C-alpha cells in the first residue's frame, strides 16, 4: 500500500490567516496535515474544520517555538502516521514585534530569536532529514520546505529592529539551505509577503484584493512552489497586492 503524503504547517494563529489557509489548501489536495502552533484552542478548531470538509488534520500544540519542542513535534508526527511521507513543510511562525528600540524587552527578544532562529532551524533540520528518506516524485523532488518572510526580511524600519533582525536571519537560513540541499533534490523556498493580510478576524474575506493579501492566494502560491519541476525551482517569491507601495 502506497504511503500518504504529509504536510507540516507551523504557525496557524487563529486559523483565519496564512497558516490556516495553507493547511486547508494542502488538506484539500489529499495531504495529511500536521498543525503546529502555540494556540491550542485555535489549533483544535482548525483541525476540526478541516475534518468537517473531508480533510485530515491533527493538532500538535507547542508552548514555545523552541528547538526542543519543534523537534519533539516531528517525533510525534511520525508516531501518529508511521510509514507515511513528509513531503511539504511550511514555517509560518513568529512574533510581530514593532516597537522603538529602547522599548524592546529581553523577553520579546527571546521570542524573536525562538521564532526566527532556533525554532526554524530545528524545523528545517527535521524537515530535511525526513525529505532525505523520500524517493523522487514525478517532478524530481524529495520534498519542499517553505519559509514565510516579510518586507522586513529585506530592510529595517523605525520600529522593526527586533522584527527585521529575525526576518533577516530567517531569510539567510532559507538561502543557505536552498544552496546546500538543492543538489540533493530538496526544494527550499522563501516567500516575502508584503502587505496587510486579510484575515477573517480583522478584515473578512471580502477585503479589497488591491489593498490586502488574501490568505487563500498565498496558499495557492505555496502549492505552486511544491509543484515546480526540479529544472526550474524558485528560491524567493514576492507576494503583494497590486496596489501595494514598494
Amino acid at each position: 500500500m502506497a504511503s500518504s503524503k504529509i504536510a507540516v504547517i507551523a504557525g496557524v494563529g487563529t486559523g483565519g490567516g496564512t497558516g490556516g489557509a495553507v493547511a486547508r489548501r494542502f488538506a484539500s489536495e489529499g495531504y495529511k496535515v500536521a498543525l503546529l502552533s502555540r494556540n491550542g484552542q485555535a489549533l483544535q478548531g482548525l483541525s476540526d474544520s478541516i475534518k468537517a470538509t473531508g480533510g485530515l488534520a491533527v493538532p500538535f500544540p507547542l508552548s514555545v517555538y523552541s528547538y526542543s519542542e519543534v523537534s519533539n513535534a516531528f517525533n510525534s508526527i511520525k508516531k501518529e502516521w508511521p510509514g507515511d511521507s513528509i513531503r511539504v513543510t511550511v514555517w509560518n511562525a513568529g512574533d510581530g514585534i514593532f516597537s522603538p528600540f529602547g522599548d524592546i524587552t529581553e523577553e520579546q527578544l527571546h521570542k524573536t530569536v525562538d521564532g526566527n532562529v532556533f525554532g526554524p532551524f530545528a524545523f528545517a533540520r527535521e524537515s530535511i532529514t525526513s525529505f532525505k528518506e523520500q524517493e523522487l516524485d514525478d517532478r524530481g523532488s524529495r520534498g519542499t520546505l517553505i519559509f514565510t518572510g516579510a518586507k522586513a526580511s529585506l530592510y529595517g524600519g523605525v520600529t522593526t529592529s527586533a522584527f527585521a533582525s529575525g526576518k533577516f536571519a530567517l531569510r539567510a537560513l532559507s538561502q543557505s539551505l536552498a544552496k546546500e540541499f538543492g543538489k540533493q533534490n530538496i526544494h527550499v523556498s522563501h516567500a516575502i509577503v508584503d502587505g496587510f493580510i486579510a484575515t477573517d478576524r480583522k478584515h473578512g474575506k471580502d477585503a479589497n484584493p488591491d489593498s490586502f493579501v488574501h490568505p487563500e492566494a498565498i496558499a495557492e502560491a505555496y502549492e505552486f512552489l511544491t509543484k515546480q519541476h526540479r529544472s526550474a525551482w524558485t528560491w524567493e517569491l514576492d507576494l503583494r497586492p497590486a496596489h501595494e507601495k514598494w
Side-chain angles (χ1 to χ4, degrees):
M1 184 177 180
S3 64
S4 298
K5 297 183 294 183
I6 299 171
V8 183
I9 316 299
V12 301
T14 62
T18 300
V22 172
R24 287 188 289 271
R25 182 82 184 197
F26 282 102
S28 72
E29 291 295 314
Y31 285 80
K32 296 179 177 178
V33 179
L35 304 169
L36 279 60
S37 187
R38 294 171 300 187
N39 189 334
Q41 184 175 358
L43 204 61
Q44 186 62 56
L46 177 59
S47 174
D48 292 343
S49 70
I50 289 173
K51 292 176 183 176
T53 58
L56 179 57
V58 173
F60 296 89
L62 308 174
S63 59
V64 292
Y65 291 121
S66 67
Y67 191 101
S68 60
E69 286 211 30
V70 171
S71 295
N72 289 337
F74 271 82
N75 292 332
S76 298
I77 292 166
K78 292 175 182 178
K79 289 179 182 178
E80 179 73 24
W81 295 310
D84 289 331
S85 305
I86 295 176
R87 285 287 188 174
V88 174
T89 58
V90 178
W91 182 264
N92 184 63
D95 289 279
I97 297 171
F98 303 97
S99 297
F101 176 73
D103 294 342
I104 295 169
T105 66
E106 183 178 356
E107 180 183 2
Q108 288 176 316
L109 194 57
H110 278 296
K111 284 185 177 180
T112 295
V113 175
D114 273 347
N116 292 287
V117 180
F118 286 111
F121 202 100
F123 189 82
R125 176 164 286 175
E126 295 292 342
S127 298
I128 289 169
T129 299
S130 298
F131 293 159
K132 286 181 176 180
E133 300 172 354
Q134 313 307 333
E135 298 295 329
L136 297 179
D137 64 15
D138 59 357
R139 294 172 179 82
S141 173
R142 299 188 190 281
T144 302
L145 166 60
I146 301 171
F147 295 94
T148 298
K151 60 184 177 183
S153 304
L154 301 175
Y155 53 83
V158 175
T159 60
T160 65
S161 55
F163 185 65
S165 294
K167 290 302 179 186
F168 267 63
L170 189 69
R171 182 175 187 260
L173 173 63
S174 73
Q175 188 178 56
S176 298
L177 296 177
K179 292 181 177 182
E180 181 174 357
F181 293 102
K183 295 173 184 176
Q184 297 182 43
N185 305 313
I186 292 171
H187 187 189
V188 181
S189 291
H190 178 256
I192 295 175
V193 181
D194 183 3
F196 292 105
I197 297 174
T199 65
D200 292 342
R201 179 181 51 176
K202 292 181 179 179
H203 311 293
K205 295 183 181 297
D206 295 326
N208 184 349
D210 292 328
S211 303
F212 298 95
V213 190
H214 280 209
E216 293 78 12
I218 298 172
E220 181 181 359
Y222 282 16
E223 184 191 359
F224 160 74
L225 290 172
T226 70
K227 293 184 174 181
Q228 289 182 317
H229 190 272
R230 190 174 77 200
S231 65
W233 273 351
T234 295
W235 164 57
E236 189 159 72
L237 187 69
D238 277 5
L239 300 171
R240 61 176 57 85
H243 295 190
E244 178 72 13
K245 182 179 180 181
W246 61 293

